[in-house]
Amino acid sequence: MRSIRLKNIEKSFHGELILENINLTIPEGKFFALLGPSGCGKTTILRLIAGFESPDHGSIMLGDTDITHVPINKRRINTVFQNYALFPHMDVFNNVAYSLKLKKIHPDIIQQKVIKILKSVRLEHQMYKSINQLSGGQQQRVALARAIINEPEVLLLDEPLAALDVKLREQMLIELMDLQETLRTTFVYITHDQTEALTLADQMAIMNYDGRIEQIGSPREIYEFPISSFVAQFVGKMNLFKGTIKIGTGKVTFIEETNLGEFEVASFARSPWMIEGAHVLMGVRPEKIWIGKKLETNFTNHLAGKVESIVYHGPATQYNVRLKNGVRIEVFEQNEEHFPKEKIDYDDEVYLHWQKENAVLLER
Ligand code: ATP
């Protein structure tokens, strides 16, 4: 397994710029997710890495080797597609054995290898079934087995779970993580589903609508410290306030522009744009807000509002609270039996509280 590096990649189709100056390092042996809205160019990046497309500018490195112009079959990179692309007229065994047979490997070795791989994806008992006798999840596992039988250095996965129902997708997510841990192959997984990316990835990159990468980091870094309002809203939910920065001695505060008040923000990373008077956004995640009818003074920040609607989600309850400036704020609260809370109803006057560490400043 080796790392992949995309350097200054640019790609246009029919004069339309799709990817602009993509610089990306995918570490070896890790699960890397590429997340972005539909049409932003994720599949194009995958096709460039696989060799189905060539970049207009820039280079692609596999470890220390420049593979920009290396043909597909010489790259030791395999792809699992959304539609599996299996051979419907062959059974499971032959689907998986196909590429080994092409290489004229001895039948005994093929038998051993296929059985070993089918065991790793829990399909050893379905070996002689035809593809159309399998469920969607089983077909997906055949596609995975077929992609890893050649021991590729990199496995590219293009929304491989999109066709599965929610329950099966959750199960396959865990199986994929286990498989990656066992194989230690570099996995590059593309998706527009933030939950999938957050669950699976060691590292992830977020692409925006313009085909540029906005942020690269661990799922935790991306979720807790998004660097732009796009990332903040694309990965999870974020309440956003407009205002300006005030820098006091040892303290950064945010002055909301419709007179909601002044709020303290713990700024972990001082970016060059974080200067006195800069017009910025303050973001607070819905689950970081504590809602109550009484004002709690042990929180750094608070705001008053009125409950407009309550949505029960099972594990959590969502409160939609209207502030005096007309803005609607979302609050999520875990439904915990251990810490029963006061009952909050529609139309209740409430306070929203959060700590300064739970607010982020974003460029506007
Ligand atoms: P999705 O999540 O919907 O699959 P994506 O992020 O994977 O989208 P791409 O499939 O990479 O996006 O497509 C990015 C853009 O490039 C789209 O506007 C698409 O129409 C265009 N595109 C991709 N391949 C080609 C091609 N071969 N010829 C012309 N345009 C293309």
Side-chain angles (χ1 to χ4, degrees):
M1 59 250 49
R2 284 193 279 173
S3 63
I4 303 168
R5 247 177 100 197
L6 275 66
K7 294 202 280 191
N8 309 321
I9 292 288
E10 223 174 272
K11 179 74 185 169
S12 299
F13 289 115
H14 314 299
E16 190 191 345
L17 187 63
I18 303 296
L19 298 174
E20 189 189 343
N21 197 25
I22 298 285
N23 285 290
L24 188 62
T25 301
I26 298 170
E28 67 173 87
K30 297 279 187 219
F31 210 127
F32 190 91
L34 190 54
L35 178 68
S38 186
C40 70
K42 303 181 293 294
T43 301
T44 305
I45 291 190
L46 223 60
R47 291 175 59 80
L48 286 165
I49 299 172
F52 297 116
E53 303 279 356
S54 336
D56 301 334
H57 292 287
S59 57
I60 302 169
M61 308 287 291
L62 181 62
D64 298 327
T65 315
D66 187 335
I67 58 160
T68 318
H69 304 292
V70 171
I72 301 174
N73 56 350
K74 299 260 159 50
R75 291 197 184 197
R76 294 204 59 200
I77 294 175
N78 265 345
T79 313
V80 177
F81 298 99
Q82 195 181 111
N83 59 4
Y84 318 147
L86 297 171
F87 302 119
H89 57 285
M90 289 183 195
D91 62 12
V92 171
F93 181 94
N94 282 301
N95 260 282
V96 178
Y98 185 77
S99 60
L100 301 183
K101 285 187 176 170
L102 282 186
K103 287 186 186 166
K104 308 252 184 295
I105 290 173
H106 192 279
D108 291 349
I109 311 247
I110 293 183
Q111 178 88 7
Q112 271 172 25
K113 282 194 157 203
V114 173
I115 289 174
K116 188 171 164 224
I117 289 286
L118 287 178
K119 275 189 181 156
S120 73
V121 294
R122 298 191 296 109
L123 276 180
E124 71 271 28
H125 303 303
Q126 324 286 337
M127 200 153 47
Y128 300 114
K129 277 195 178 167
S130 73
I131 293 302
N132 54 22
Q133 285 176 294
L134 302 179
S135 70
Q138 288 170 331
Q139 290 187 26
Q140 184 52 264
R141 287 198 208 111
V142 179
L144 273 170
R146 199 179 56 173
I148 57 182
I149 192 118
N150 281 322
E151 297 166 19
E153 296 194 270
V154 178
L155 188 65
L156 307 174
L157 300 119
D158 187 352
E159 309 221 21
L161 310 183
L164 306 179
D165 64 48
V166 179
K167 251 315 354 100
L168 197 52
R169 206 154 63 210
E170 282 172 5
Q171 187 189 330
M172 283 298 292
L173 278 180
I174 296 166
E175 290 186 16
L176 269 178
M177 288 195 292
D178 287 347
L179 191 64
Q180 197 277 334
E181 275 205 31
T182 316
L183 298 172
R184 286 275 156 215
T185 305
T186 308
F187 274 33
V188 186
Y189 189 100
I190 67 169
T191 179
H192 52 247
D193 181 333
Q194 40 134 341
T195 318
E196 266 183 29
L198 288 171
T199 312
L200 289 167
D202 295 309
Q203 285 266 308
M204 60 199 274
I206 315 295
M207 287 181 77
N208 64 20
Y209 290 99
D210 304 332
R212 279 184 292 114
I213 291 176
E214 291 250 339
Q215 190 171 358
I216 301 173
S218 69
R220 193 180 177 80
E221 279 162 358
I222 302 262
Y223 188 80
E224 299 291 340
F225 308 109
I227 60 156
S228 66
S229 57
F230 174 80
V231 175
Q233 290 177 298
F234 194 73
V235 183
K237 289 195 168 182
M238 185 73 99
N239 295 300
L240 291 175
F241 301 84
K242 284 182 181 172
T244 51
I245 295 180
K246 182 168 126 190
I247 302 191
T249 37
K251 209 156 118 165
V252 177
T253 49
F254 170 88
I255 305 164
E256 206 278 340
E257 74 182 24
T258 60
N259 295 325
L260 280 179
E262 195 170 322
F263 308 97
E264 206 176 326
V265 180
S267 63
F268 295 93
R270 276 286 176 91
S271 303
W273 52 265
M274 283 190 198
I275 51 167
E276 178 78 28
H279 294 278
V280 294
L281 297 166
M282 177 180 68
V284 189
R285 296 253 183 234
E287 73 279 9
K288 308 282 189 190
I289 298 176
W290 166 268
I291 185 170
K293 289 198 226 171
K294 283 202 305 285
L295 180 64
E296 305 281 345
T297 50
N298 52 340
F299 285 88
T300 339
N301 297 308
H302 58 80
L303 262 176
K306 192 173 189 178
V307 177
E308 199 173 69
S309 57
I310 302 174
V311 187
Y312 179 74
H313 288 294
T317 298
Q318 176 183 340
Y319 298 91
N320 299 314
V321 177
R322 189 70 66 183
L323 305 178
K324 72 169 194 263
N325 68 349
V327 166
R328 201 187 78 158
I329 296 296
E330 284 182 21
V331 181
F332 289 147
E333 241 193 14
Q334 291 294 326
N335 294 325
E336 287 176 302
E337 291 296 323
H338 312 296
F339 305 106
K341 276 198 63 167
E342 62 184 332
K343 179 137 175 47
I344 292 173
D345 264 320
Y346 302 97
D347 280 343
D348 278 350
E349 302 282 348
V350 289
Y351 287 98
L352 308 180
H353 314 79
W354 67 96
Q355 302 292 19
K356 62 176 190 234
E357 291 78 12
N358 292 139
V360 287
L361 289 178
L362 302 162
E363 219 174 347
R364 151 142 83 111

